[in-house]
Amino acid sequence: MTATTLQTTLAETRAAGRAALIGYLPAGFPDVESSVRIVEAMVEGGCDVVEVGLPYSDPMMDGPTIQRAADRALAAGTTTDDVFRVVEATAATGAAAVVMSYWNPIERYGVGRFADRLAKAGGAGVITPDLIPEESQEWVEASTAAGLDRIFLVAPSSTDRRLALTTDACSGFVYAASLMGVTGTRAQVADTAETLVRRARETTAESGLPICVGLGISTAAQAAEVAAYADGVIVGAGFCQRVLDAPDLETALTAVRSFAQELAAGVRR
């Protein structure tokens, strides 16, 4: 299979001796056109990869900040087709675009149809936080046919067997959840994160598959800390919070761009 833009981007950041900065934003937050401009500001600030969230009414892994952002997107009438519009705009910036989605919306849209539409929009892959490899055969077939990366999650509670099974099923990168909990900003990165990455690397030694860490990263110092041992640093709630706090779009764009610049400086230390 030809390398995806995600694989190419992570290979380039690794060759440069640094971690990738991966930012997250729900499509349609606060509305579709504004979310496109916010993603553009994230990339201008230094994001190498953007996770475009598919807003969902029952986001079990998301904390209050991302839930509020997703609720705003749903209230604005955001649809799955709108997600593809944001993915296309993200890809146009030159950043690698992936979708973060729970499995139910993909299944309802049609698994093969979703994969095809995402590939045509320039998307590189999908992060599926609630889908496990043993139940992913339909997605494996559809994503393989469309040339998309499959990104599953591992957590501090994952057994050695589970780690090996999950990392073997991933392409693009392995998403290492730094803690047992929901998304959100925290005062410090959980000390379980580095141990989890070390354990996951034991299962990816042969493939060299990148491991990226998410959940709880919200400052440049935290980004630098995680970048010292991971291939990618994932930040979501911090971007959403700056949009939620802004009185207007222009203020939000400035805040998001500045935040991305701070994080980018952190991962490059």
Side-chain angles (χ1 to χ4, degrees):
M1 185 176 78
T2 303
T4 64
T5 54
L6 176 62
Q7 294 171 18
T8 301
T9 297
L10 293 177
E12 289 173 349
T13 56
R14 178 179 282 179
R18 68 172 179 88
L21 176 58
I22 304 172
Y24 166 89
L25 189 83
F29 167 60
D31 57 69
V32 174
E33 297 308 321
S34 296
S35 68
V36 168
R37 293 190 62 192
I38 292 167
V39 165
E40 291 171 345
M42 292 165 67
V43 176
E44 290 166 5
C47 284
D48 303 290
V49 180
V50 177
E51 294 179 12
V52 177
L54 196 162
Y56 186 46
S57 58
D58 187 23
M60 62 183 181
M61 184 180 162
D62 295 321
T65 299
I66 290 180
Q67 286 191 28
R68 285 177 61 198
D71 287 345
R72 286 274 296 274
L74 291 171
T78 303
T79 66
T80 302
D81 287 334
D82 290 326
V83 174
F84 298 132
R85 288 176 55 199
V86 178
V87 167
E88 187 172 12
T90 302
T93 68
V98 298
V99 165
M100 164 78 89
S101 178
Y102 294 95
W103 181 243
N104 183 263
I106 296 175
E107 194 170 44
R108 289 184 61 185
Y109 192 83
V111 177
R113 179 183 174 215
F114 186 95
D116 290 342
R117 287 293 308 277
L118 178 58
K120 289 176 181 175
V126 183
I127 302 165
T128 48
D130 61 341
L131 182 66
I132 58 176
E134 298 96 317
E135 299 175 358
S136 66
Q137 186 58 40
E138 187 178 10
W139 177 237
V140 168
E141 293 173 358
S143 56
T144 299
L148 298 172
D149 284 317
R150 293 178 295 277
I151 302 154
F152 298 103
L153 272 67
V154 295
S157 62
S158 298
T159 63
D160 290 344
R161 179 181 176 279
R162 169 61 54 186
L163 278 174
L165 178 70
T166 305
T167 58
D168 186 59
C170 288
S171 63
F173 68 85
V174 179
Y175 191 124
S178 66
L179 46 77
M180 300 302 296
V182 297
T183 60
T185 60
R186 289 173 172 81
Q188 61 185 36
V189 178
D191 56 11
T192 52
E194 186 171 3
T195 300
L196 176 59
V197 171
R198 176 182 53 76
R199 291 177 60 218
R201 286 210 192 283
E202 293 175 0
T203 71
T204 61
E206 185 174 339
S207 68
L209 189 66
I211 301 169
C212 303
V213 173
L215 272 68
I217 302 165
S218 58
T219 68
Q222 291 171 346
E225 177 188 344
V226 173
Y229 56 80
D231 298 292
V233 178
I234 303 169
V235 180
F239 285 112
C240 293
Q241 190 63 59
R242 279 156 180 77
V243 179
L244 289 167
D245 290 344
D248 53 58
L249 178 59
E250 291 305 319
T251 303
L253 294 174
T254 299
V256 163
R257 189 179 298 106
S258 176
F259 183 49
Q261 290 169 341
E262 294 171 13
L263 295 170
V267 302
R268 286 166 172 78
R269 285 181 191 171

